[in-house]
């Protein structure tokens, strides 16, 4: 008998074999939000639509390295001139990469946890998930609330002072595996807040400025354009048993 090929006797064994194969099936999938799940950067879209023009000055100070991205976002949020319901409605109507639905469905079928890690705004992420019936997904993001005086303010429950990223949400800490020997984590992202995590992940799918950065710094990545492509790479149709 060929020891390398499992002999399959019945339907339940077929399903066990399917779950174990291919060996590259991830143990967990982490995904950026702005520009990766939404086709536009939802945070930037909200600032452009609702913030006083000075938000661009803070952006310039961050780009020049004068302030951290965490401080930049905190100052920009304070310039938003809109209430909660307005922002929720705006975000719910933002276009998404339709492959997001396929990818999360295939993760669920294969019992692979799918987690959104975003250095954006939790309210916007939740609005998009609610619209698409995906509120059960795990989300780690910066927290938007309105003060007693009616001003929007952002807090950073997942910041990490030791992280070089200066981000409000440190993705490299959130995605650290409890058992690195058996973990096969996958990361999907497109921008600057994805840099600190990308050097620490076994598999990185990258587009946009993250792809450019990975190529420049020598971090291996799989380029992608749509999340449907990512779904097909992670969970190939021919390896699945209907
Ligand atoms: Mg992004
Ligand atoms: Zn980090």
């Amino acid at each position: 008998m060929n020891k390398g090929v499992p002999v399959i006797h019945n339907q339940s064994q077929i399903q066990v074999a399917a779950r174990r194969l291919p060996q590259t099936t991830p143990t967990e999938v982490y995904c950026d939000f702005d520009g990766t799940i939404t086709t536009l950067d939802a945070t930037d879209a909200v600032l452009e639509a609702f913030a006083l023009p000075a938000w661009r000055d803070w952006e310039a100070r961050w780009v020049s390295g004068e302030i951290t991205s965490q401080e930049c976002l905190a100052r920009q949020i304070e310039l938003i001139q809109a209430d909660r319901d307005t922002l929720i409605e705006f975000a719910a109507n933002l276009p998404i990469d339709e492959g997001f639905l396929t990818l999360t469905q295939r993760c669920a079928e294969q019992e692979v946890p799918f987690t959104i890690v975003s250095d954006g705004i939790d309210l916007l992420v939740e609005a998009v998930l609610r619209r698409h019936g995906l509120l059960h997904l795990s989300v780690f993001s910066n927290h938007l609330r309105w003060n007693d005086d009616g001003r929007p303010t952002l807090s950073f429950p997942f910041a990490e002072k030791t992280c070089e990223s200066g981000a409000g949400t440190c993705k490299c800490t959130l995605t650290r595996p409890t058992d690195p020997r058996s973990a096969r984590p996958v990361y999907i992202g497109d921008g600057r807040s994805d840099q600190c995590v990308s050097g620490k992940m076994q598999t990185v799918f990258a587009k946009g400025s993250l792809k450019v950065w990975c190529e420049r710094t020598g971090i291996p990545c799989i380029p992608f354009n749509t999340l449907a492509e990512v779904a097909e790479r992670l969970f190939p149709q021919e390896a699945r048993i209907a």
Side-chain angles (χ1 to χ4, degrees), residues 137-212:
L137 294 177
S138 302
V139 178
F140 296 91
S141 188
N142 305 314
H143 178 54
L144 177 63
R145 63 188 169 81
W146 274 259
N147 279 336
D148 293 341
D149 63 3
R151 308 300 310 156
T153 182
L154 203 61
S155 59
F156 303 95
F158 307 107
E160 178 56 63
K161 283 194 178 66
T162 58
C163 178
E164 66 206 26
S165 71
T169 295
C170 166
K171 300 184 179 187
C172 64
T173 303
L174 286 169
T175 57
R176 196 174 289 152
T178 45
D179 184 358
R181 289 165 302 177
S182 60
R184 293 188 302 280
V186 166
Y187 190 82
I188 309 162
D190 80 319
R192 194 149 151 181
S193 73
D194 308 308
Q195 291 179 1
C196 75
V197 61
S198 291
K200 300 177 171 105
M201 283 279 139
Q202 188 179 64
T203 305
V204 176
F205 287 89
K207 67 175 186 176
S209 72
L210 180 67
K211 174 175 164 283
V212 173

Side-chain angles (χ1 to χ4, degrees), residues 93-171:
N93 288 311
L94 289 172
I96 65 163
D97 177 335
E98 294 291 332
F100 174 52
L101 308 176
T102 307
L103 178 60
T104 52
Q105 188 184 344
R106 291 203 192 163
C107 283
E109 286 166 4
Q110 301 293 314
E111 297 177 18
V112 175
F114 183 94
T115 304
I116 296 170
V117 284
S118 169
D119 195 24
I121 301 169
D122 59 356
L123 186 82
L124 308 182
V125 179
E126 285 160 18
V128 169
L129 295 184
R130 187 177 297 113
R131 160 114 196 244
H132 297 281
L134 293 168
L135 267 181
H136 58 277
L137 294 177
S138 302
V139 178
F140 296 91
S141 188
N142 305 314
H143 178 54
L144 177 63
R145 63 188 169 81
W146 274 259
N147 279 336
D148 293 341
D149 63 3
R151 308 300 310 156
T153 182
L154 203 61
S155 59
F156 303 95
F158 307 107
E160 178 56 63
K161 283 194 178 66
T162 58
C163 178
E164 66 206 26
S165 71
T169 295
C170 166
K171 300 184 179 187

